[in-house]
Amino acid sequence: DVKVTQSSRYLVKRTGEKVFLECVQDMDHENMFWYRQDPGLGLRLIYFSYDVKMKEKGDIPEGYSVSREKKERFSLILESASTNQTSMYLCASSSVDTGLSYTFGSGTRLTVV
Amino acid sequence: AQSVSQHNHHVILSEAASLELGCNYSYGGTVNLFWYVQYPGQHLQLLLKYFSGDPLVKGIKGFEAEFIKSKFSFNLRKPSVQWSDTAEYFCAVNAQTDGLTFGKGTHLIIQP
């Protein structure tokens, strides 16, 4: 089974801090994605990547950046955390070989105080 | 740009009732369609998907969905729900290569 692992289940950070959310997948998927999930808003795409060192903006990239130095790892960076970035963050990966179906990680619940 | 609309945000049913969750998308070209489920405290899981061929697709746990191209719809159905179907259900569409676009979700509660 494909595994997508997010390094932290819960995080609490202060306003203005730089925050790193890590995601690792173990099945050589070329595509990786970061979403945030908020009640009543569903999942919204922040950034995605189709290859190493490649990134594309999703629907809500403001206040975020990403890094993909290795194929298996996709990091989401909050440059200066704000309270409106309190959310559940979900990482996903997919591959053409799997019919582009996503496999999701368990999520990181980030609270910015 | 593609978008997805789920008709109901909250649905409450009794066990053994039939279920239909509505999903409409907006995109004029070829799409791939998905339903994902998130059980309480768990990560999102794929329920079923449609890429091409038979518009009636069957997924896990007795769920099925029908793609009706003329209506831009991909409704999820189950003839008889169980208490364990209590979860949040997300419809999603992938029109090109810009990642999946999700609906806002439907919170389904099954009363025993």
Side-chain angles (χ1 to χ4, degrees):
Chain A
D1 274 357
V2 177
K3 221 178 201 179
V4 178
T5 303
Q6 294 183 232
S7 53
S8 304
R9 189 76 176 96
Y10 299 95
L11 272 180
V12 180
K13 296 292 182 180
R14 295 193 182 278
T15 301
E17 277 193 77
K18 191 168 186 175
V19 181
F20 293 85
L21 303 183
E22 304 290 344
C23 175
V24 178
Q25 50 93 4
D26 64 1
M27 283 297 289
D28 203 36
H29 282 182
E30 61 269 21
N31 308 322
M32 296 189 75
F33 307 84
W34 275 106
Y35 287 84
R36 60 178 285 177
Q37 182 180 13
D38 300 289
L41 296 178
L43 281 76
R44 292 178 290 168
L45 181 63
I46 304 172
Y47 267 97
F48 58 100
S49 169
Y50 289 127
D51 202 352
V52 175
K53 296 191 185 296
M54 176 272 182
K55 59 186 178 184
E56 292 285 345
K57 292 180 180 179
D59 299 321
I60 52 164
E62 295 79 18
Y64 303 93
S65 61
V66 290
S67 172
R68 193 161 182 206
E69 295 297 318
K70 294 184 178 181
K71 190 175 185 179
E72 67 270 19
R73 186 180 296 271
F74 192 38
S75 303
L76 180 69
I77 304 156
L78 285 65
E79 298 291 343
S80 177
S82 64
T83 54
N84 62 14
Q85 292 178 309
T86 292
S87 185
M88 172 69 86
Y89 289 87
L90 297 175
C91 177
S93 71
S94 75
S95 167
V96 171
D97 295 340
T98 63
L100 298 176
S101 303
Y102 285 22
T103 299
F104 282 89
S106 298
T108 296
R109 184 164 293 283
L110 172 68
T111 302
V112 182
V113 299
Chain B
Q2 61 215 30
S3 66
V4 179
S5 174
Q6 291 184 238
H7 304 167
N8 308 99
H9 291 166
H10 296 274
V11 173
I12 302 174
L13 295 172
S14 298
E15 276 194 315
S18 65
L19 169 72
E20 181 160 2
L21 300 183
C23 173
N24 286 91
Y25 66 93
S26 64
Y27 185 76
T30 302
V31 293
N32 300 321
L33 297 157
F34 304 80
W35 276 96
Y36 282 84
V37 60
Q38 188 173 33
Y39 297 104
Q42 297 189 26
H43 62 275
L44 278 152
Q45 305 171 41
L46 180 67
L47 207 50
L48 48 79
K49 63 185 178 185
Y50 171 80
F51 283 4
S52 63
D54 188 344
L56 184 63
V57 293
K58 296 191 183 299
I60 60 172
K61 304 188 180 185
F63 286 91
E64 64 179 31
E66 185 175 12
F67 170 51
I68 302 180
K69 190 175 182 180
S70 61
K71 295 184 178 180
F72 299 90
S73 70
F74 190 55
N75 292 354
L76 181 70
R77 300 195 293 249
K78 187 171 183 177
S80 176
V81 294
Q82 301 171 308
W83 176 79
S84 57
D85 293 324
T86 293
E88 189 145 19
Y89 293 80
F90 293 93
C91 182
V93 61
N94 185 336
Q96 297 169 331
T97 57
D98 291 346
L100 282 180
T101 297
F102 286 83
K104 293 184 178 181
T106 297
H107 190 195
L108 175 65
I109 297 172
I110 306 300
Q111 296 176 331

